[in-house]
Amino acid sequence: ATGVTEGIIAVEASKDSIESNTANVTVTSAVLKSIQVTPANPTMAKGNAVQLIAQGMYSDGSSVDISSSVAWTSSNTDIVTVTADG
């Protein structure tokens, strides 16, 4: 789900006549204040991968995984490359 404008709405899912519970979604005017990458200091064996997560910290105190919407950079791509989702 992507917040378009401020407000509170209900979201449901259904398939083959089976209905879900109702999720009440609140969209606020919060703005991104900082980004925390975790794990902060990972160690990995050559050829292995570690999932990096970019957690967005917002002005209303909430936090959201924004890994797929940030620009990832590596200081040395000969040692580590980072995919679009961390």
Side-chain angles (χ1 to χ4, degrees):
T2 301
V4 177
T5 190
E6 294 175 45
I8 301 172
I9 56 95
V11 175
E12 298 173 346
S14 63
K15 180 177 179 169
D16 300 331
S17 301
I18 299 172
E19 295 186 14
S20 73
N21 62 311
T22 300
N24 294 310
V25 179
T26 303
V27 178
T28 69
S29 61
V31 295
L32 183 64
K33 290 293 189 179
S34 65
I35 300 171
Q36 181 72 37
V37 174
T38 58
N41 298 299
T43 300
M44 69 184 91
K46 180 180 174 182
N48 288 351
V50 170
Q51 180 66 51
L52 299 174
I53 297 172
Q55 197 74 15
M57 309 302 184
Y58 287 83
S59 59
D60 64 355
S62 64
S63 64
V64 176
D65 180 349
I66 58 172
S67 301
S68 62
S69 64
V70 298
W72 292 97
T73 58
S74 170
S75 63
N76 187 336
T77 56
D78 290 333
I79 297 174
V80 171
T81 59
V82 184
T83 62
D85 61 351

